[in-house]
Amino acid sequence: MLALLTGRDTPTPPSCCLGAAIPQPRRAWEQTSESPSRRTIRAWSPHEETTMSTQTSSPTAKRSRSSLAVPAATIAVLLGIGTAISGCSASHIPAAPVAATAPTEQQLGELAQSAADTGGTGVIVRIDRGTGAPVALARQIQWTEADHILAPTDRFRVGSNTKTVTATLVLQQVAEGTITLEDTVESWLPGVVPGGGDITIAQLLDHTSGLADFILTPEFLPSLAGQEIRSWSPEELIAITPSQDPAPSGDPVSSYSNANYEALGLVLEEATGMPLDDLIATRITEPLGMTDTRLAHSADWEAGEDHARGYEPAAAQLAAILAPVIELPEGFGFAGDARPDDHVDTTGIDPSYTWAAGAMVSTAEDWQTFLTALNSGQLLPAAQMERMRTVVPDGVGGKYGLGLIQMDSACGTVWGHTGGLPGYSSEIYTDADGERSVAVLTSSNFGIKTEEAAAANRDLVIAAICAMFDEPAPEEPAQ
């Protein structure tokens, strides 16, 4: 679910990137009389008791337009999708001077330090070229050293990268004949997903289902911020998911929604009779030796588990950063201890509601192990791998397959995903053959949305991908 909050777009991004399609700002809690199935909701403040809306319509009712459906482009900016770099295809990247050699470890370290200092707070970079020793480094802004010394081996909340694991599990069931991509959601989850009789498994996987996202609904916003301590079931999150206007007729367009992967997690459990945790362990993490990877069920870290701490800008700075894309309720901010430079420590915010859409904890090395196995053909038969890489446009410059992003960089095409939760942002990719891999993990999500921070992060990601390919990077990455 939470591909949550990781977009790396600047307030004024390049025209080929996601931000160019951002709609006019709207209030995250806005409610009008257009939606008779819900009672009036007032604006939420962390110092007030929240008035929650109540569903009065049947969950199987036909989907209709809802005033709460925040445009998908806005959700994508806030979540881990369509970052400033990955939202641009190679055909849109203007020519730029290139260096004579691939970026060195020293140059990557300098770029990582710049990204940390300008808003990322902490950065882990790990590059595996398939031969020789991997490059692994960590950099952080000085004041965070009092909390934790960041290391390349630290555990990290990888957010919506989890979707690639969920999609892999679904496609394994397809290969085994248990599920078909043409199955309707209703056939597996009767009455759970509104309009489920018109939605296929394939449409959940590539976000062409027509479901909107629950992330910015008034019911969920306090939980997102960590201001409300509540356990959400996938069914409850699907129930508060607003509908959105149907896509124009013609070729399908991916419209990112965490609700799609909440539903897929339920389908997997229904189809296999196994909890999602067990499926992940028996089919992915244990066979691949991913000992530092698990599905989180709370905000707690396991004993002895070295982990990156996450930070976000405090309320006033957060509102200013997000003003170009959405108007937050007055006083909205993340729960956590105050830290220097007007930051909040968000490490303790519970990510478990993201479940099949974003609740996994891992390390750079572990997740590169997974993506390498996937893209080299070890986890899926060729037919399912080809289908996974059949992409549709997302309407804002990106390309999305079945739980897998195609990103065309200046140095070559990579496959993977992005992820984000409060305090955690990530981009992890491999080359087409799964021989080379790269991970860039950042200890802030909203902190890298300012123009300066987004540019520093973009420069780092481009350089890291080019270093993975052992290719020179543009001296001045596309602006």
Side-chain angles (χ1 to χ4, degrees):
M1 318 184 158
L2 258 204
L4 194 77
L5 324 169
T6 157
R8 291 169 170 77
D9 296 271
T10 68
T12 54
S15 60
C16 66
C17 295
L18 174 63
I22 292 173
Q24 289 296 313
R26 63 172 296 163
R27 294 175 177 83
W29 70 96
E30 188 173 21
Q31 172 72 17
T32 74
S33 59
E34 293 178 26
S35 181
S37 64
R38 296 176 184 268
R39 293 199 290 266
T40 301
I41 300 169
R42 62 185 173 84
W44 172 82
S45 162
H47 305 294
E48 298 176 338
E49 179 178 312
T50 304
T51 300
M52 308 297 275
S53 72
T54 302
Q55 284 283 95
T56 58
S57 60
S58 167
T60 57
K62 187 72 175 179
R63 288 173 289 154
S64 60
R65 183 176 184 274
S66 167
S67 63
L68 283 175
V70 178
T74 299
I75 294 291
V77 170
L78 297 178
L79 308 194
I81 270 302
T83 64
I85 169 65
S86 62
C88 298
S89 68
S91 61
H92 291 126
I93 297 175
V98 296
T101 61
T104 65
E105 184 171 351
Q106 178 180 344
Q107 290 169 329
L108 290 168
E110 292 170 354
L111 289 169
Q113 188 64 61
S114 176
D117 290 342
T118 55
T121 71
V123 176
I124 293 170
V125 178
R126 190 176 185 278
I127 300 166
D128 190 338
R129 298 186 178 94
T131 60
V135 172
L137 58 88
R139 299 290 186 271
Q140 63 196 114
I141 193 168
Q142 187 173 7
W143 61 259
T144 64
E145 294 176 358
D147 297 335
H148 173 70
I149 301 299
L150 192 65
T153 54
D154 279 348
R155 277 74 162 183
F156 198 91
R157 302 197 195 281
V158 296
S160 283
N161 285 284
T162 304
K163 290 181 173 67
T164 308
V165 165
T166 300
T168 300
L169 293 171
V170 171
L171 288 169
Q172 287 177 343
Q173 295 302 312
V174 171
E176 294 167 16
T178 308
I179 297 173
T180 76
L181 293 177
E182 293 73 34
D183 287 348
T184 66
V185 179
E186 186 69 14
S187 68
W188 285 105
L189 306 174
V192 174
V193 178
D198 299 319
I199 300 172
T200 67
I201 299 299
Q203 290 173 324
L204 293 178
L205 285 164
D206 66 7
H207 299 291
T208 58
S209 68
L211 292 176
D213 211 310
F214 54 81
I215 290 297
L216 296 181
T217 60
E219 299 96 326
F220 187 73
L221 202 58
S223 295
L224 172 63
Q227 299 285 359
E228 178 185 60
I229 307 303
R230 172 178 173 176
S231 294
W232 289 88
S233 71
E235 292 89 347
E236 288 173 328
L237 291 170
I238 292 170
I240 66 168
T241 296
S243 58
Q244 62 187 13
D245 292 332
S249 59
D251 293 336
V253 175
S254 182
S255 184
Y256 199 84
S257 169
N258 289 288
N260 289 320
Y261 278 73
E262 292 293 311
L264 285 168
L266 293 173
V267 170
L268 278 169
E269 293 193 334
E270 182 67 24
T272 64
M274 294 176 63
L276 182 62
D277 294 68
D278 292 348
L279 285 169
I280 292 171
T282 58
R283 288 177 170 263
I284 305 290
T285 58
E286 290 178 1
L288 295 178
M290 297 168 62
T291 57
D292 294 326
T293 300
R294 61 182 173 84
L295 189 69
H297 290 282
S298 71
D300 297 336
W301 297 86
E302 295 181 354
E305 192 175 50
D306 291 333
H307 59 272
R309 301 198 69 85
Y311 304 94
E312 293 297 353
Q317 185 182 356
L318 180 67
I321 290 171
L322 293 185
V325 293
I326 197 162
E327 182 182 348
L328 294 171
E330 184 177 356
F332 176 89
F334 290 104
D337 294 336
R339 302 303 295 128
D341 290 348
D342 198 25
H343 279 76
V344 173
D345 185 338
T346 59
T347 310
I349 294 180
D350 185 1
S352 62
Y353 61 87
T354 62
W355 196 48
M360 292 192 74
V361 169
S362 190
T363 62
E365 181 176 3
D366 260 15
W367 209 264
Q368 286 173 275
T369 296
F370 161 64
L371 275 186
T372 294
L374 174 64
N375 285 316
S376 64
Q378 298 177 45
L379 298 179
L380 291 174
Q384 280 68 48
M385 195 69 236
E386 181 180 4
R387 185 65 181 86
M388 193 179 211
R389 289 186 177 183
T390 301
V391 299
V392 294
D394 63 9
V396 288
K399 300 173 184 177
Y400 201 93
L402 304 188
L404 200 63
I405 294 173
Q406 176 186 341
M407 199 272 275
D408 301 314
S409 78
C411 290
T413 295
V414 293
W415 296 87
H417 213 286
T418 60
L421 289 163
Y424 299 90
S425 180
S426 52
E427 295 191 50
I428 312 173
Y429 306 107
T430 77
D431 63 357
D433 298 325
E435 295 178 355
R436 301 165 180 257
S437 61
V438 59
V440 178
L441 315 180
T442 304
S443 298
S444 186
N445 199 354
F446 292 112
I448 56 175
K449 293 182 187 297
T450 67
E451 186 169 2
E452 180 184 20
N457 186 80
R458 183 172 61 244
D459 291 356
L460 172 61
V461 172
I462 293 172
I465 291 172
C466 290
M468 180 196 76
F469 280 114
D470 204 19
E471 292 285 344
E475 290 185 343
E476 297 179 3
Q479 299 297 314

